[in-house]
Amino acid sequence: STTEKPILLNNIADAEAFISGAEVAVIGFFQDPQSPEAEQFRLAAGQVPEVPFGLSSSAAVLSHYGASANTVALFRRVDNDRRDLDMNNRDVDAKKLTRFVRMNELRLVTEYDPVTAIGVMQSSLEFNLLLITDKMSPKHPERMRKFRAAAELYKGKILFILLDSNLKSNERVVSYFQLKKSQLPALAIFHTPDDEHDVLIPDEISVERVQDFCNRFLQ
């Protein structure tokens, strides 16, 4: 995008609108916007184009969010969670900051890979629903559209995860649910505290089918 990153947030209303306008938003709270830490923050912002970065040096904004100076906070809508990173630590640079964002940017539908896996495991949501599917399939965009629509209905309750069956690193997950490639796409729901899970091999992915599967498991 051509917009200057990060966006300057001068007051609480700006900051609140910035956070509510995105699935995942990152704000750097810096007393001195020209500090070396703020410079690293700007570098990281350029490396993660799809996540909005905001910067605030307003005392009112810092106090409203209970943030100390040189703190970066990531806000996510899917489980109403916030993750903080202390930039006062001398070895936090743009690379570490980028990894922090990548690890914690859970979305309505999060694609599972070795980096997001860490954020998924640390999520406050105890229920995960996986769509295990071949991303190269011509039916993939339509399946995703329906899966996302269902995810909207369970915001704050179930974490929706896309698992690409083509990735070598995902084979372990597929075999954990005792699925063969010929049975995909499949839905797998999982309750993290006790490993309780259920699998569904639907003829097609529809919002109603996903809802029915989730509701039965939640009950």
Side-chain angles (χ1 to χ4, degrees):
S1 80
T2 51
T3 52
E4 201 47 48
K5 284 188 81 170
I7 293 162
L8 289 179
L9 306 169
N10 299 316
N11 52 53
I12 294 167
D14 282 358
E16 286 180 337
F18 177 76
I19 292 165
S20 63
E23 276 196 58
V24 178
V26 175
I27 299 182
F29 299 101
F30 298 101
Q31 245 159 355
D32 172 10
Q34 303 311 321
S35 67
E37 292 84 5
E39 203 35 60
Q40 291 298 314
F41 180 74
R42 286 191 185 85
L43 282 174
Q47 288 165 16
V48 193
E50 65 282 19
V51 176
F53 277 59
L55 188 151
S56 187
S57 48
S58 143
V61 173
L62 267 73
S63 135
H64 178 76
Y65 288 101
S68 50
N70 295 340
T71 298
V72 172
L74 178 142
F75 300 84
R76 57 188 191 209
R77 222 170 54 197
V78 63
D79 56 358
N80 264 329
D81 206 351
R82 165 180 164 177
R83 298 287 157 120
D84 286 13
L85 181 68
D86 183 359
M87 292 287 287
N88 287 309
N89 185 338
R90 280 281 160 244
D91 39 297
V92 175
D93 55 8
K95 193 172 164 203
K96 288 214 168 112
L97 183 52
T98 304
R99 182 172 165 76
F100 166 78
V101 173
R102 287 270 176 246
M103 209 165 79
N104 289 292
E105 55 160 339
L106 299 183
R107 297 169 177 273
L108 269 176
V109 175
T110 299
E111 181 161 353
Y112 189 87
D113 63 36
V115 179
T116 57
I118 301 165
V120 165
M121 284 164 189
Q122 293 174 345
S123 165
S124 55
L125 298 181
E126 294 189 339
F127 293 95
N128 293 343
L129 178 71
L130 282 74
L131 170 58
I132 304 170
T133 188
D134 171 4
K135 268 179 77 179
M136 306 308 286
S137 158
K139 293 183 174 173
H140 181 68
E142 185 55 21
R143 278 181 196 142
M144 268 309 279
R145 198 180 59 73
K146 290 173 176 165
F147 196 58
R148 264 190 80 82
E152 282 280 1
L153 308 171
Y154 293 94
K155 224 169 25 213
K157 270 193 190 157
I158 300 176
L159 191 58
F160 276 56
I161 298 164
L162 168 68
L163 192 104
D164 184 4
S165 56
N166 291 316
L167 286 187
K168 195 114 188 74
S169 56
N170 286 338
E171 283 174 2
R172 261 195 27 244
V173 184
V174 178
S175 65
Y176 174 83
F177 292 110
Q178 296 175 343
L179 287 162
K180 298 187 193 73
K181 278 222 163 158
S182 59
Q183 295 173 297
L184 302 179
L187 293 168
I189 196 163
F190 191 86
H191 184 235
T192 45
D194 57 12
D195 287 356
E196 185 74 36
H197 61 272
D198 195 8
V199 174
L200 177 72
I201 299 163
D203 16 326
E204 59 168 312
I205 303 292
S206 68
V207 179
E208 298 71 30
R209 190 66 51 79
V210 173
Q211 255 186 295
D212 183 47
F213 183 53
C214 289
N215 292 345
R216 275 209 322 269
F217 190 78
L218 289 174
Q219 278 164 13

